[in-house]
């Protein structure tokens, strides 16, 4: 999560995009583009008093950006949508069945034969099969594309996704934007009181947008939480150098068995300020509740631990900081919430 941010800031196409959007030369184009989009959304919100739910924000932003969502729930749905739009002279819709490959979750198309009451765009949201759990995020992803359209790009715009480019830097940037707005922090913050827990996150998700996936809720709500918290995903993985080793790849040496590591780590703003950080790919300490939940019979648990249990492969130890760790197993990985314990209770 954090690593891609660094890489994106070095991407030429992201720098070009930032400059097209009127952002001056910057070392942090991603942060600047995110801030610009926040200002746009704040302006939209002026028109809607009492917008308190992310789902309402979603409709508002879609409307302001000039698109409607068309949800595809089955192959028959898709056929019907294709026919309807092709009959209206929107021939490009005929390519949808081929373009909605298993990597593509949504496509925004610009109408060429717009009726008087039509908005300029249509965002097709694929909700079939496993894509169903990402519908809410996919909608924000498509809006993310429209948020970063410059006037010039708007003129040339035909569709958000062309084949084979779905993993471009711009796609990653749009995912960052989707994450920012899916759980819009001004809406999450009033509900984020007390101590963070899986139950608290679920309760906020249920209240704000029950159709969002649990993963996007965990990321978005942890980010918006006022108190310090680290969100960790632990899974079996190799040490970075081992994973990249050509020798291991070609089988010249026997690769060691993978160990339980923090494969994804996301500190929220308050954690970053307090210096609460565990680094990506660090090995999970054997005594940690995260290891115990991973190997044990119980699917969840919590324990008081210390940050200094975590060590890098070169022996570097993290600072002494009492922490509370809440862990929960989800399929082949463990999600953990780590918060500092400030005073003995
Ligand atoms: Zn996209």
């Amino acid at each position: 999560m954090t690593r891609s941010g660094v890489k994106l800031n070095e991407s030429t196409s992201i720098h070009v995009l930032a400059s097209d959007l009127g952002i001056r030369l910057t070392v942090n184009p991603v942060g600047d583009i995110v801030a610009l989009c926040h200002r746009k959304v704040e302006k939209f919100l002026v028109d809607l008093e009492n917008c308190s739910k992310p789902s309402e924000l979603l409709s508002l932003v879609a409307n302001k950006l000039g698109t409607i969502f068309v949800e595809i729930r089955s192959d028959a749905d898709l056929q019907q949508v294709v026919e309807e739009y092709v009959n209206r002279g929107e021939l490009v819709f005929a390519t949808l069945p081929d373009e909605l490959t298993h990597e593509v979750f949504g496509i925004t198309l610009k109408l060429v034969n717009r009726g008087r009451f039509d908005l300029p765009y249509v965002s097709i949201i694929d909700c079939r099969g496993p894509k169903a759990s990402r519908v809410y995020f996919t909608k924000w992803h498509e809006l993310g594309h429209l948020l970063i359209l410059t006037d010039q790009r708007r003129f040339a715009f035909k569709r958000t996704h062309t084949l084979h480019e779905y993993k471009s830097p711009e796609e990653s940037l749009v995912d960052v934007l989707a994450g920012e707005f899916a759980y819009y922090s001004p809406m999450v913050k009033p509900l984020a009181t007390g101590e963070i827990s899986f139950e608290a996150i679920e309760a906020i998700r249920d209240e704000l947008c029950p159709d969002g996936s649990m993963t996007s809720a965990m990321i978005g709500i942890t980010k918006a939480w006022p108190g310090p918290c680290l969100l960790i995903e632990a899974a079996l993985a190799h040490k970075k150098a081992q994973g990249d080793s050509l020798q291991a790849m070609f089988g010249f040496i026997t690769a060691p068995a993978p160990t339980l590591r923090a494969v994804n780590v996301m500190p929220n703003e308050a954690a970053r300020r307090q210096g609460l950080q565990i680094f990506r790919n660090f090995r999970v300490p054997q005594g940690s509740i995260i290891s115990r939940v991973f190997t044990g019979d119980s699917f969840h648990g919590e324990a008081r631990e210390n940050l200094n249990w975590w060590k890098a492969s070169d022996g570097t130890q993290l600072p002494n900081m009492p922490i509370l760790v809440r862990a929960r197993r989800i399929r082949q990985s463990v999600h953990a919430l780590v918060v500092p314990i400030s005073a003995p209770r």
Side-chain angles (χ1 to χ4, degrees):
M1 300 170 213
T2 37
R3 203 181 55 151
S4 66
V6 174
K7 269 195 188 161
L8 274 185
N9 274 327
E10 291 160 9
S11 150
T12 312
S13 57
I14 298 300
H15 278 275
V16 169
L17 174 66
S19 141
D20 286 352
L21 286 164
I23 294 164
R24 286 165 183 231
L25 198 60
T26 169
V27 289
N28 180 17
V30 175
D32 290 351
I33 292 171
V34 168
L36 181 86
C37 294
H38 268 286
R39 290 197 294 276
K40 279 191 190 178
V41 169
E42 276 160 29
K43 268 193 202 150
F44 296 159
L45 274 167
V46 172
D47 290 354
L48 189 75
E49 271 175 56
N50 304 320
C51 178
S52 60
K53 288 190 172 193
S55 53
E56 289 169 9
L57 181 70
L58 181 78
S59 320
L60 170 78
V61 175
N63 191 268
K64 291 280 181 183
L65 293 171
T67 195
I68 55 161
F69 296 120
V70 173
E71 296 186 1
I72 304 291
R73 305 224 158 255
S74 64
D75 294 352
D77 259 11
L78 179 58
Q79 268 321 312
Q80 203 186 329
V81 167
V82 169
E83 260 169 49
E84 184 195 324
Y85 280 92
V86 168
N87 287 340
R88 287 167 49 179
E90 303 292 344
L91 302 182
V92 70
F93 279 73
T95 63
L96 278 178
D98 288 335
E99 292 200 36
L100 289 171
T101 56
H102 65 271
E103 297 95 357
V104 176
F105 288 63
I107 298 177
T108 295
L109 296 162
K110 188 175 174 181
L111 296 179
V112 289
N113 276 323
R114 187 142 72 99
R116 239 180 108 188
F117 300 112
D118 286 333
L119 290 169
Y121 307 101
V122 172
S123 296
I124 303 293
I125 308 298
D126 198 349
C127 317
R128 292 173 297 173
K131 293 178 179 177
S133 68
R134 294 249 315 187
V135 168
Y136 176 69
F137 197 81
T138 303
K139 288 178 178 172
W140 275 112
H141 178 99
E142 291 311 304
L143 297 186
H145 278 291
L146 296 176
L147 272 169
I148 54 170
L149 279 188
T150 58
D151 286 344
Q152 203 181 0
R153 286 162 152 243
R154 194 168 287 119
F155 183 69
F157 183 90
K158 289 196 183 76
R159 73 185 81 184
T160 47
H161 296 267
T162 43
L163 295 172
H164 312 301
E165 61 151 24
Y166 73 98
K167 276 290 173 201
S168 67
E170 188 164 321
E171 283 302 307
S172 306
L173 172 75
V174 166
D175 270 344
V176 172
L177 289 172
E180 269 310 299
F181 294 107
Y183 287 88
Y184 190 53
S185 75
M187 291 179 181
V188 175
K189 280 212 163 101
L191 301 172
T193 52
E195 219 170 57
I196 193 165
S197 63
F198 294 109
E199 292 75 17
I201 289 173
E202 262 163 29
I204 293 177
R205 185 191 71 143
D206 288 350
E207 164 125 24
L208 289 180
C209 57
D211 61 337
S213 81
M214 196 53 202
T215 307
S216 60
M218 295 247 291
I219 296 171
I221 295 169
T222 305
K223 243 187 189 172
W225 207 274
C229 181
L230 277 184
L231 174 64
I232 294 178
E233 184 191 0
L236 289 178
H238 287 285
K239 201 158 80 179
K240 210 168 163 233
Q242 287 167 358
D244 296 342
S245 160
L246 278 173
Q247 284 183 320
M249 214 186 321
F250 290 109
F252 296 148
I253 50 166
T254 322
T259 45
L260 188 63
R261 291 174 188 278
V263 290
N264 277 304
V265 181
M266 191 199 70
N268 68 6
E269 199 47 48
R272 219 172 267 140
R273 278 200 305 269
Q274 255 194 44
L276 170 64
Q277 173 67 300
I278 284 170
F279 297 97
R280 204 169 162 269
N281 231 37
F282 262 39
R283 209 175 159 149
V284 175
Q286 270 176 359
S288 169
I289 188 73
I290 301 175
S291 296
R292 280 156 39 211
V293 163
F294 185 75
T295 52
D297 299 329
S298 174
F299 276 90
H300 57 90
E302 70 173 67
R304 285 157 175 266
E305 302 181 2
N306 196 300
L307 198 62
N308 65 15
W309 294 10
W310 291 76
K311 292 185 187 81
S313 47
D314 65 0
T316 321
Q317 202 173 21
L318 291 180
N320 169 21
M321 185 191 286
I323 49 175
L324 179 70
V325 183
R326 295 192 163 100
R328 190 147 88 166
R329 191 160 85 215
I330 292 157
R331 290 184 291 273
Q332 301 306 310
S333 66
V334 173
H335 289 170
L337 296 166
V338 176
V339 297
I341 304 170
S342 41
R345 285 184 300 184

